């Protein structure tokens, strides 16, 4: 497995805000991004009325009208109650990308400090013992790359 790199949580949030799943793509979580994209699609099909979906898509695809609305600060004419489930899924996706980025950074910090975790229970392992003191799982032997 390759080296884990430091990620910016604010960038994951910003990308996730632009389009659902983009924050997860930045974090290189391909399946999770696909899952959020499918969740967004399922929410749109199951919970958002088709009239609201059609109106929203027509407003977004008409670039001249969209630019006019943005420059004149006009709100989108779709009722917020109709697209609320879609907004909730989007907010949950952004929050998930932020949390994943923070967890990634915690792992990077632990790697830099030399903290090892159990492969079974994921708790920190005492380096002096050959098993996990929490779950008694035998500790994996370090590979040749880790020793040198």
């Amino acid at each position: 497995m390759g080296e884990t790199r430091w990620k910016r949580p604010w960038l994951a949030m910003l990308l996730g805000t632009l389009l659902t799943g983009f924050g997860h793509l930045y974090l290189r979580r391909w399946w999770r991004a696909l899952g959020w994209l499918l969740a967004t699609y399922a929410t749109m099909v199951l919970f958002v009325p088709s009239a609201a979906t059609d109106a929203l898509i027509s407003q977004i695809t008409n670039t001249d009208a969209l630019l006019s609305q943005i420059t004149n600060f006009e709100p989108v004419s779709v009722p917020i109650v109709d697209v609320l489930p879609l907004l909730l899924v989007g907010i949950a996706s952004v929050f998930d990308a932020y949390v994943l980025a923070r967890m990634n950074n915690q792992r990077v910090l632990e790697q830099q400090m030399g903290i090892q975790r159990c492969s079974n229970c994921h708790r920190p392992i005492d380096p002096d013992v050959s098993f996990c003191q929490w779950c008694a799982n035998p500790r994996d032997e370090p590979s040749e790359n880790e020793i040198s």
Side-chain angles (χ1 to χ4, degrees):
M1 190 164 131
E3 181 181 329
T4 307
R5 297 176 186 254
W6 194 266
K7 298 293 183 184
R8 294 175 180 88
W10 63 267
L11 184 57
M13 285 179 61
L14 178 67
L15 290 171
T17 302
L18 293 176
L19 188 65
T20 303
F22 271 23
H24 295 88
L25 291 177
Y26 164 69
L27 297 172
R28 303 174 84 63
R29 298 295 208 97
W30 316 118
W31 290 109
R32 201 142 185 168
L34 180 65
W36 278 110
L37 199 59
L38 290 174
T40 302
Y41 179 74
T43 301
M44 189 168 57
V45 169
L46 296 174
F47 299 111
V48 178
S50 60
T53 304
D54 294 340
L56 191 61
I57 290 173
S58 68
Q59 284 184 357
I60 291 172
T61 56
N62 187 354
T63 54
D64 294 332
L66 186 62
L67 285 174
S68 156
Q69 283 181 333
I70 292 172
T71 55
N72 297 329
F73 299 104
E74 296 174 7
V76 179
S77 64
V78 178
I80 192 76
V81 174
D82 288 346
V83 293
L84 186 62
L86 207 52
L87 290 174
L88 293 176
V89 169
I91 290 169
S93 170
V94 168
F95 181 74
D96 184 52
Y98 175 79
V99 169
L100 284 175
R102 295 288 306 253
M103 287 173 45
N104 175 72
N105 293 345
Q106 182 67 31
R107 264 192 316 274
V108 169
L109 192 61
E110 287 177 357
Q111 284 177 354
Q112 291 172 350
M113 293 174 59
I115 297 173
Q116 296 179 352
R117 292 195 169 266
C118 174
S119 60
N120 186 37
C121 69
H122 304 290
R123 289 185 173 176
I125 297 177
D126 185 5
D128 298 332
V129 296
S130 61
F131 61 91
C132 174
Q133 65 267 27
W134 303 103
C135 69
N137 189 42
R139 187 168 152 190
D140 298 333
E141 293 299 320
S143 65
E144 293 296 321
N145 296 339
E146 294 176 10
I147 294 173
S148 56

